[in-house]
Amino acid sequence: MDDTSENIAATVRKMAEDYFDPQLINLEPIAGPPVTQTPQAMLLPQGMKLHAVEEFIAPLRAIPLRRKGTATLADLASFIAHASRFKDCNSALFANRAQTTLQSVLNYHMVAEPGGGGQRFGDHRGKYQMVLSPEWRAWQAVADKKLDQGEFAELLEDRVGDLIAPPIVTEGTDPAEGDRKLLDFLALLQATAASPSRMMALSRGIKVHEKATLVEARNLASGEGEFSYKSEHNDESGAPLRVPNCFLIAIPVFEAGALYRLVVRLRYRFAAGRLSWMVQIQRPDESLRHAFEEAAGEASSQTTLPLFYGEPE
C-alpha cells in the first residue's frame, strides 16, 4: 500500500471513529431526595439505540434510588403488617370487590397543592388475593345441582361439621340482632330449619332407601316433604320419611375468616321413577360482599390508611 492509500485509509478510519463515538449528555437537574440528581443520556449515531446510563450503573449502587415493586402477601395479617411497615402519610389502600383483592400503594400521590408537585411514582405496592375457604367452595360446588340419593346422603355425611342448630329464643327475651335477622328471614321463607341430628337421620334414612321404590311423595302443610317407600329390606318398617325444607350451616367465606350462618333450602324432584335432590344457598352474594368489606375495613382501620374501592391508576 502506497502513502496515498495509507492516508486515505487513515482518514476513513478517523471519520468512522468520530461518527460512531457516543456522546454523553447531561440533562436538566432533577430535584428530589436524597440529593439533586443530574440525569445523563448517551447520544449514539443514526441506527443505534439511545440508552440511559442509569440502567448500567443501577446494579452498582449501594442502595437503589427508591423503593419499587409489588409484594404478594399470603394472608390479611401479613398484608396489614407490610403496609404498616412501609406506609407514609400519602399511602392508600384499594379494594376490588370483583377480584376480591386488596392492594396498598405505598408511594401514592401526595395531596395536590397549588402549582402541582403532588405526583409520585406509585410503584411500591403490596397485594393480597383473598382466597375462598374450602367449606365455601365445597357447598358452592353442589349448589343448584341435581344430586341422586346417594350423592345427597354423602354430602350430608361429608359436611356434617358445617351443620348448626337453629337459634333458640326463650319466651319473654329479645333475641340477639343476628338471631333476630335469621329468624325473620326464615319466617319470610315460611321455613323451619332442621337440626343437625335430624339432617343426619335423614341422611341415614335416604341411604337405607337408596334401592327402594318410591310409592308416594307429598308436601305437608308445614312445607316439609313426606316420602313413602316400598322397601326391599326385610328389617325396614317402610314408615314415611319426613323431609325438612331447609337447614343451617356455619362456614367461613374466606380462608381463616369468620363464620357466616347461611340458610340452605332443600328441594327434591321426582321424575321417571327417580328422586333427585337440590340444595340452594340463600343470599350467598350478600355474605361474600359483607366478608370482603369486613376484611377491607379491618385493613384500613389497622393501618390507618384511606380505603378506595376500585383499582389504582
Side-chain angles (χ1 to χ4, degrees):
M1 180 181 294
D2 56 24
D3 293 342
T4 301
S5 297
E6 288 182 356
N7 290 337
I8 295 175
T11 302
V12 172
R13 184 171 60 252
K14 182 65 170 63
M15 291 176 62
E17 289 174 351
D18 292 343
Y19 179 77
F20 286 103
D21 185 27
Q23 299 180 38
L24 198 61
I25 301 173
N26 289 331
L27 305 179
E28 289 294 326
I30 299 176
V35 295
T36 298
Q37 300 286 327
T38 302
Q40 293 179 315
M42 189 174 291
L43 183 62
L44 302 176
Q46 180 71 24
M48 301 182 73
K49 292 183 178 179
L50 182 67
H51 292 271
V53 177
E54 175 62 24
E55 67 183 76
F56 298 104
I57 65 175
L60 304 178
R61 293 183 182 275
I63 58 173
L65 291 178
R66 69 174 189 277
R67 297 189 189 100
K68 63 179 179 178
T70 300
T72 301
L73 291 313
D75 55 41
L76 181 61
S78 297
F79 175 80
I80 291 171
H82 181 268
S84 298
R85 177 172 181 171
F86 295 107
K87 70 177 182 178
D88 61 29
C89 61
N90 296 293
S91 301
L93 302 181
F94 290 82
N96 187 315
R97 290 191 186 95
Q99 299 179 10
T100 62
T101 56
L102 297 177
Q103 193 169 178
S104 59
V105 183
L106 302 166
N107 55 344
Y108 196 54
H109 307 307
M110 295 178 285
V111 176
E113 299 178 355
Q119 301 88 347
R120 298 174 79 191
F121 286 97
D123 55 1
H124 186 211
R125 305 186 178 196
K127 189 172 185 178
Y128 170 44
Q129 173 67 64
M130 300 186 69
V131 180
L132 294 172
S133 71
E135 297 89 343
W136 183 272
R137 287 184 274 118
W139 283 101
Q140 288 295 330
V142 298
D144 301 315
K145 294 182 179 179
K146 287 185 178 181
L147 306 174
D148 62 29
Q149 293 199 61
E151 291 171 333
F152 178 60
E154 289 177 3
L155 170 67
L156 294 181
E157 290 183 346
D158 292 344
R159 308 308 312 175
V160 62
D162 300 335
L163 305 180
I164 61 170
I168 299 175
V169 180
T170 306
E171 186 176 354
T173 62
D174 292 329
E177 182 180 359
D179 290 346
R180 180 180 55 78
K181 289 182 177 180
L182 179 59
L183 293 171
D184 288 346
F185 184 58
L186 289 172
L188 181 65
L189 296 176
Q190 297 181 338
T192 302
S195 66
S197 60
R198 187 176 179 191
M199 293 303 299
M200 292 312 300
L202 173 63
S203 168
R204 290 190 294 270
I206 291 172
K207 295 197 77 171
V208 167
H209 291 94
E210 188 172 356
K211 294 182 180 180
T213 302
L214 182 67
V215 296
E216 184 182 9
R218 58 195 177 97
N219 285 320
L220 307 179
S222 64
E224 295 177 324
E226 184 178 272
F227 301 139
S228 294
Y229 287 94
K230 179 180 179 181
S231 177
E232 298 175 358
H233 297 77
N234 295 329
D235 59 349
E236 179 59 36
S237 64
L241 187 63
R242 299 285 291 270
V243 180
N245 57 8
C246 78
F247 57 95
L248 302 179
I249 60 175
I251 59 175
V253 177
F254 297 106
E255 287 186 354
L259 297 180
Y260 279 76
R261 292 186 297 184
L262 301 170
V263 177
V264 182
R265 294 294 297 269
L266 182 56
R267 301 183 182 277
Y268 61 87
R269 295 288 184 271
F270 181 65
R274 297 186 63 84
L275 182 66
S276 61
W277 300 84
M278 182 180 295
V279 293
Q280 296 178 321
I281 300 175
Q282 303 298 294
R283 303 192 293 195
D285 291 346
E286 182 177 306
S287 298
L288 181 62
R289 180 186 182 96
H290 186 272
F292 178 72
E293 292 182 354
E294 282 282 299
E298 181 182 352
S300 178
S301 175
Q302 292 200 27
T303 60
T304 66
L305 294 177
L307 174 66
F308 303 96
Y309 282 90
E311 286 288 321
E313 63 272 48

